[in-house]
Amino acid sequence: MAGQGTTTDAAPADTGRHAYLKNGEARRPRIGPGLRTFLIFAVLVGLGALIFPSSYFYRVGTLVWINTLAVTGIVVLLGYVGLVSLGHAGFFAIGAYATAILPSYGIPSPLAMLAGVGMAGGLALIVGRPILKLSGYYLAIATLGLGMLIWMVLSKEAWLTGGPDGMVVSGMNARNLFKLVGLKLKSAEAWYWVAGFAAATGAAIAVNLARSPSGRALRAIHDSDVAARSLGVDVARAKSRAFVISAIYAAVAGALLALANGYITPETGGFMHSVEMVTMAVLGGATSVFGALVGALILTALPQVLTVFADYEHMVLGGIMVVTMIAMRRGLVPFIADLWNRRKS
Amino acid sequence: MSLEIDGIGIAFGGIKAVDDVSFTAKPGEVTSIIGPNGAGKTTLFNLVSGVYTASAGRVRIDGQDVTGLPAHALARRGMARTFQNLQVFPQMSALDNVMTGCHMQEKSNLLADLLGLGSARRETQKSRASAMAALARAGLAELAHRPASEMSYGQLKRLEIARALVTGCTILLLDEPAAGCNAVETREVDDLIHAIAAEGKTVVLIEHDMRMVMRISSHIVVLDQGRKIAEGGPEEIRQNPHVIAAYLGAHGAAEAEAAAHA
């Protein structure tokens, strides 16, 4: 899968860095790569808000940013370290359900969110150590099992989770956040901005990580486990960290989805959702946070557009995916970045 | 630091790939391991560097038993290596490859790395500076920003040396560093290894190029079918009838002779 690419990390931003390094140290940009990524995302969030004609568009836009955030976690795990997880919807659902369930026990939404994220991270830490000894498809199957377990608990324990019918999420509304600073937004608009901000922050963090000492160690494991060890990298520890980080991304995204939709079902933790996350990452380009955005955008927005063709929706989507994987195996963003670089040089 | 190998061995499915091999590599010297293909040279390196776990024998660094320590723990005790079948990071630039070698010296924590704090960026700056110096030393300074996947075999061999050097190692295991190098490059690698040993590092070398081995080794260990069949200075080895029979052969002996008179 995406484990075989040949570019490093965030493709467009990366080429920028190489460009300035080639021209000598003098032309160093004034802002760091993380902040630059944040600003690019912020501009895109703003652009969306400028052109959206209705609440419906804001709702789809919110979904795009939430998915981008979750897929950024996959980028860290799959793109940076080369580990495939088919169970990340489980972590997503833990974030979502904690945010849904805990307020009915008197815990305020923000704390419930934090608790959910903590639980997902904690579970990833505990389960990660034994599971991450596996690699390749063995790891994929083990994580798939983990995701299934979580999904089963969510759909069977009806007293707590509402069972297969799902449950209503009460509590926080993002509108109130904006009211505090005197902005009156519709609920859909407010969640759009919150989700966009979360995705931008997540992307900036992932880009910072890629350029940091810890990130280089992760990318080293991707390319050669043996060499990374010989340089003093504690591979088990590094993998575990990446697993926890990516679980946290998924859980934050899940919590946001629960709050923004006001309703959740066990399907948020289902196998198909896990597959969808990985597909988004691979389609956009798993080595880059911009790949996460492009993949999430296409696979979130396109089904909305394709509803016009109702019966053919899945065919068209499937076709796009097959063609993309054949023609540009490393995903859209690295492919386009390569074309661009070749034209320049 | 001296590296002491004491009766080390490993068997794969009943076949003793390395059997009861002992030798000591001293600081400031180049100790070479030679022998025909399949003699167990690379397996020996994998045993010493913690890639495989020895089924017999001990490894000591300055008298301290380090047998069975995982590879990353051995790296922290000052051992670095290169690989016969190249283990570079092809997705990274040459510079990033070498910067990864600075891992053990980088003192930033994960949170600082995620938030892109000043401490993380300073560590990266420091690593970049020492990686550039190591690249220059390996003669690769102009290729710093080239993706490793676009470099030649000989260049990648030297890239691995640079990456190992930058770890701040005291013991360096080099597995066929001159493979794929032309005569000029071989001479450069030769000089580089000589300089590394002269700094007081313990260098252990696996190499097929007999001219190079005879020129830079202080001590030579000869393996055949997993066992040590001879050990000594270049002069001794060159004249050892067992070594000539098992490995050097007529051609190798002539090359070694040529090196001696060069």
Side-chain angles (χ1 to χ4, degrees):
Chain A
M1 281 224 253
Q4 291 156 4
T6 47
T7 45
T8 18
D9 118 85
D14 215 27
T15 54
R17 181 183 58 145
H18 284 303
Y20 82 73
L21 280 175
K22 269 178 201 153
N23 299 337
E25 300 287 310
R27 275 189 54 216
R28 182 165 301 159
R30 271 141 290 174
I31 53 171
L35 185 56
R36 190 170 46 197
T37 306
F38 182 88
L39 292 176
I40 294 171
F41 268 64
V43 168
L44 293 172
V45 174
L47 265 180
L50 273 182
I51 57 170
F52 288 164
S54 69
S55 286
Y56 166 75
F57 280 82
Y58 277 99
R59 276 199 294 276
V60 176
T62 305
L63 261 184
V64 170
W65 293 121
I66 288 175
N67 284 333
T68 302
L69 183 64
V71 177
T72 304
I74 302 289
V75 164
V76 170
L77 191 65
L78 176 64
Y80 293 3
V81 204
L83 301 173
V84 185
S85 167
L86 291 179
H88 259 55
F91 298 121
F92 189 98
I94 290 175
Y97 272 87
T99 310
I101 294 167
L102 293 178
S104 57
Y105 293 91
I107 295 166
S109 289
L111 278 185
M113 248 181 108
L114 267 181
V117 171
M119 278 158 66
L123 181 67
L125 186 65
I126 295 165
V127 177
R129 275 289 169 139
I131 269 191
L132 292 168
K133 287 191 179 136
L134 307 169
S135 60
Y137 45 82
Y138 300 106
L139 176 65
I141 299 300
T143 51
L144 184 142
L146 174 68
M148 296 274 225
L149 279 175
I150 295 168
W151 174 80
M152 257 158 68
V153 171
L154 296 177
S155 35
K156 303 290 182 216
E157 304 298 317
W159 61 275
L160 187 65
T161 64
D165 298 333
M167 65 187 296
V168 173
V169 186
S170 58
M172 201 171 93
N173 189 321
R175 287 173 72 182
N176 303 332
L177 279 178
F178 292 91
K179 266 193 200 141
L180 287 178
V181 287
L183 280 170
K184 275 192 132 181
L185 294 179
K186 285 185 199 156
S187 178
E189 291 171 1
W191 281 117
Y192 174 81
W193 286 104
V194 170
F197 176 78
T201 308
I205 287 174
V207 167
N208 280 335
L209 176 64
R211 309 293 169 73
S212 73
S214 311
R216 278 192 293 279
L218 293 180
R219 285 157 54 207
I221 295 171
H222 182 291
D223 282 7
S224 170
D225 203 298
V226 188
R229 284 176 212 275
S230 82
L231 300 173
V233 176
D234 185 340
V235 170
R237 192 168 124 108
K239 282 182 175 176
S240 161
R241 283 173 156 192
F243 197 59
V244 171
I245 290 170
S246 70
I248 288 175
Y249 270 97
V252 174
L256 282 174
L257 183 77
L259 289 169
N261 273 359
Y263 195 82
I264 45 167
T265 67
E267 295 320 308
T268 49
F271 170 61
M272 278 316 289
H273 189 210
S274 288
V275 172
E276 206 174 271
M277 284 197 236
V278 175
T279 311
M280 285 173 179
V282 173
L283 182 69
T287 50
S288 149
V289 296
F290 292 96
L293 169 58
V294 170
L297 177 67
I298 291 175
L299 289 186
T300 311
L302 212 55
Q304 307 288 334
V305 180
L306 293 176
T307 45
V308 192
F309 306 105
D311 295 345
Y312 302 103
E313 181 195 327
H314 286 101
M315 269 175 67
V316 175
L317 269 179
I320 290 175
M321 259 138 46
V322 171
V323 170
T324 316
M325 282 303 104
I326 292 171
M328 25 195 147
R329 204 164 53 93
R330 292 188 294 125
L332 285 162
V333 168
F335 179 79
I336 292 165
D338 269 8
L339 278 188
W340 180 255
N341 286 340
R342 219 166 294 156
R343 252 193 47 191
K344 271 200 311 192
S345 60
Chain B
M1 287 193 266
S2 76
L3 175 69
E4 199 183 321
I5 314 293
D6 182 6
I8 208 164
I10 189 173
F12 297 115
I15 294 166
K16 287 180 174 168
V18 172
D19 185 16
D20 195 24
V21 172
S22 304
F23 65 91
T24 299
K26 296 196 192 86
E29 289 187 356
V30 177
T31 304
S32 289
I33 320 264
I34 63 170
N37 286 325
K41 304 184 293 292
T42 295
T43 308
L44 177 66
F45 262 25
N46 284 339
L47 283 174
V48 173
S49 65
V51 176
Y52 298 152
T53 310
S55 46
R58 320 301 306 168
V59 179
R60 294 187 200 91
I61 296 178
D62 263 358
Q64 214 178 357
D65 195 338
V66 296
T67 322
L69 285 184
H72 69 87
L74 286 167
R76 275 162 210 202
R77 295 191 183 224
M79 189 186 290
R81 68 169 293 187
T82 67
F83 298 85
Q84 182 191 17
N85 58 339
L86 293 177
Q87 295 286 340
V88 291
F89 309 127
Q91 293 200 22
M92 299 187 188
S93 66
L95 180 62
D96 278 358
N97 262 277
V98 181
M99 282 172 76
T100 308
C102 302
H103 180 74
M104 290 181 286
Q105 278 123 43
E106 290 169 330
K107 287 179 204 66
S108 72
N109 63 49
L110 183 60
L111 198 65
D113 287 354
L114 289 168
L115 300 178
L117 298 186
S119 62
R121 272 187 265 166
R122 271 193 302 280
E123 291 301 314
T124 296
Q125 285 304 327
K126 268 199 279 177
S127 298
R128 177 170 294 140
S130 42
M132 282 307 295
L135 279 170
R137 222 182 144 187
L140 298 169
E142 314 84 73
L143 302 176
H145 303 291
R146 177 91 47 98
S149 55
E150 292 172 15
M151 291 166 73
S152 77
Y153 191 78
Q155 287 166 346
L156 291 174
K157 280 281 176 190
R158 282 182 285 157
L159 182 63
E160 280 201 346
I161 299 177
R163 190 179 64 182
L165 272 181
V166 89
T167 62
C169 59
T170 50
I171 298 170
L172 181 58
L173 312 181
L174 299 169
D175 200 342
E176 294 193 23
C181 291
N182 62 35
V184 178
E185 288 170 333
T186 304
R187 192 80 214 196
E188 282 168 14
V189 171
D190 194 330
D191 292 343
L192 179 59
I193 296 172
H194 209 85
I196 293 166
E199 278 170 17
K201 293 192 200 302
T202 306
V203 180
V204 187
L205 174 74
I206 294 177
E207 186 51 65
H208 280 296
D209 186 330
M210 274 310 119
R211 287 163 180 266
M212 181 171 174
V213 168
M214 294 298 167
R215 207 157 45 211
I216 64 175
S217 312
S218 321
H219 194 72
I220 298 175
V221 176
V222 189
L223 296 189
D224 186 31
Q225 295 179 5
R227 303 187 65 94
K228 184 174 81 178
I229 58 166
E231 183 176 5
E235 199 58 38
E236 259 173 274
I237 294 300
R238 195 181 296 132
Q239 281 148 17
N240 185 316
H242 294 298
V243 179
I244 294 172
Y247 181 52
L248 288 180
H251 172 71
E255 270 213 350
E257 210 55 43
H261 299 299

